[in-house]
Amino acid sequence: MNTQILEITPASLTRAADLIVNGQVVAIPTETVYGLAANALNIEAVKKIFEAKQRPADNPLIVHIYQKEQAYPLCHWTQTADLLAEAFWPGPLTLLLNKKELVPSIVTAGLHTVAIRLPEHQGALAFLKTCDLPIAAPSANRSGYPSPTSAQHVYDDLCGRIPLILDGGDCRVGLESTVLDISGKNPVILRPGFVTAEQIAMVTGSCEVADSVMRPLSTGEQALSPGMRYRHYAPQGQLTLFDGDPLHVAQAIISLYDHQPDSSVLAMEQHLPLYGDRLVYSLGEDAASAAHRLFYLLRSLDKQGIRHIYCESLPQTGLGLAVMNRLARAAEFDIKNV
Ligand code: TXA
Ligand code: MG
């Protein structure tokens, strides 16, 4: 299959919507990461998402909409959902609500909840409006690879497997949406993202973070969010995280780096001088820029054939928790306290 990359124009939007209506898949930009879209109500189309990504069938998909009212036939909408939608939509927050019959169980992997998100990217909204259907879309990477934050990343992973990529530029946020379960009594974050627990609690009064966010699942443990079960966001090289005082972290990293060829370091901008002239990439000055750069950096280190990646930890507060959740998984929880 020939894979086209097209800028977002009225003509490419029409072409994309034609493909979707005809049961095909299309990669689309969002403010978080690129998604691989299909008509959520068409089982055969949704199957194509799983095939193209080589995604395990027990990992459910997020349904994307362009206006809140589209959620009503899909789920049992609640007052809490209304408050959160008012505060954070359009934007990088996904809500888990009890599903209605209309949503095929392939989308929810048989779960009783459905994940719903109204993105903020103008290209994504234009696409969703043109299709005027609920659109199932996971991140548009091969399963297990870092999520794509540019059209080129999608092409690198899915070339020949999908007909069209809509190019909406680099993703502003750079890591996936916050997944918030509001199907129970209290809101619980299953996957941290750009919208933080602190921000959600301002709206709902309280917000828990599932403790599995920062630890590996034990054998046989049921994952609240099936996606957390898999080795995720992983680069080809081996990633190790270091936590502690920046000076000690730099010393520990340097002593390993200097004995390993094909090594590279990911560090906060402020700490770059600690690493001298070694191969160091900046995560930027704060958690937001680390979020924006993380997947891009992991992919570019892979392209350079880097075998060992040593990375500084970030404080697990605010957006830092989302960055650390992705890093810890990419490192398979290899975190050294120094
Ligand atoms: O920012 C995003 O959320 C991007 C863009 C494209 O919207 N999408 C995305 O989708 O990251 P995906 O499929 O890569 O991640 C969705 C996560 C998975 O970990 C999945 O297990 C979880 O959400 N999820 C989806 N539906 C769920 C449900 N009903 N219950 C629990 N977890 C669910
Ligand atoms: Mg994903």
Side-chain angles (χ1 to χ4, degrees):
M1 186 188 294
N2 182 29
T3 302
Q4 264 189 308
I5 304 183
L6 296 177
E7 302 259 313
I8 298 179
T9 61
S12 68
L13 286 169
T14 306
R15 163 125 174 81
D18 279 349
L19 285 165
I20 293 292
V21 169
N22 286 304
Q24 304 299 314
V25 296
V26 174
I28 59 161
T30 82
E31 72 279 15
T32 56
V33 300
Y34 275 70
L36 185 59
N39 176 358
L41 304 180
N42 178 337
I43 295 171
E44 291 308 313
V46 174
K47 274 188 193 158
K48 292 192 176 131
I49 294 180
F50 284 93
E51 280 161 22
K53 275 185 59 96
Q54 299 177 307
R55 180 175 174 107
D58 61 355
N59 194 3
L61 307 178
I62 297 174
V63 179
H64 296 68
I65 57 177
Y66 65 88
Q67 58 184 5
K68 186 178 75 175
E69 290 71 20
Q70 277 182 293
Y72 301 163
L74 307 174
C75 65
H76 297 277
W77 192 253
T78 63
Q79 227 172 7
T80 304
D82 228 34
L83 288 173
L84 289 164
E86 186 62 35
F88 300 111
W89 282 0
L93 176 68
T94 296
L95 299 176
L96 295 191
L97 289 137
N98 286 309
K99 83 183 262 295
K100 285 188 178 164
E101 198 70 8
L102 182 64
V103 183
S105 71
I106 184 174
V107 172
T108 60
L111 297 173
H112 69 276
T113 51
V114 58
I116 311 232
R117 155 159 143 79
L118 199 160
E120 148 196 319
H121 190 287
Q122 289 308 312
L125 287 171
F127 165 80
L128 292 167
K129 272 184 200 151
T130 313
C131 297
D132 200 17
L133 287 164
I135 296 291
S139 49
N141 51 300
R142 289 246 190 156
S143 205
Y145 285 44
S147 289
T149 56
S150 71
Q152 184 63 45
H153 292 165
V154 180
Y155 191 83
D156 291 345
D157 276 18
L158 300 179
C159 172
R161 308 178 72 91
I162 62 173
L164 176 61
I165 302 168
L166 288 181
D167 187 348
D170 287 346
C171 300
R172 179 177 64 82
V173 173
L175 50 76
E176 309 86 344
S177 62
T178 306
V179 175
L180 182 70
D181 186 354
I182 51 167
S183 69
K185 246 199 242 139
N186 297 314
V188 185
I189 290 182
L190 304 187
R191 180 178 72 182
F194 194 77
V195 177
T196 63
E198 294 85 343
Q199 291 172 311
I200 292 166
M202 301 262 276
V203 174
T204 57
S206 73
C207 177
E208 286 171 39
V209 179
D211 78 321
S212 50
V213 157
M214 276 314 293
R215 63 167 173 79
L217 292 175
S218 25
T219 330
E221 182 182 350
Q222 189 89 30
L224 291 173
S225 184
M228 295 223 224
R229 229 186 353 250
Y230 306 106
R231 179 163 190 250
H232 226 140
Y233 316 111
Q236 306 293 306
Q238 194 189 345
L239 176 69
T240 309
L241 285 171
F242 293 79
D243 197 7
D245 169 77
L247 248 180
H248 292 150
V249 164
Q251 282 165 353
I253 288 179
I254 286 168
S255 67
L256 287 167
Y257 177 106
D258 288 349
H259 292 96
Q260 285 283 8
D262 301 327
S263 287
S264 147
V265 182
L266 298 179
M268 298 307 290
E269 181 76 25
Q270 308 80 293
H271 304 149
L272 296 186
L274 299 175
Y275 295 92
D277 57 4
R278 294 171 182 84
L279 186 60
V280 193
Y281 292 92
S282 174
L283 288 165
E285 282 171 6
D286 54 22
S289 74
H292 179 73
R293 293 180 191 192
L294 180 61
F295 290 145
Y296 159 79
L297 284 172
L298 292 180
R299 279 179 178 264
S300 77
L301 292 175
D302 275 348
K303 277 204 173 150
Q304 295 171 55
I306 299 292
R307 300 307 309 155
H308 300 275
I309 308 163
Y310 305 114
C311 180
E312 295 183 346
S313 291
L314 277 71
Q316 292 174 28
T317 49
L319 186 51
L321 181 66
V323 176
M324 283 301 288
N325 167 268
R326 308 310 191 272
L327 277 171
R329 281 178 165 67
E332 298 187 89
F333 291 92
D334 185 3
I335 306 176
K336 309 224 180 300
N337 289 297
V338 296

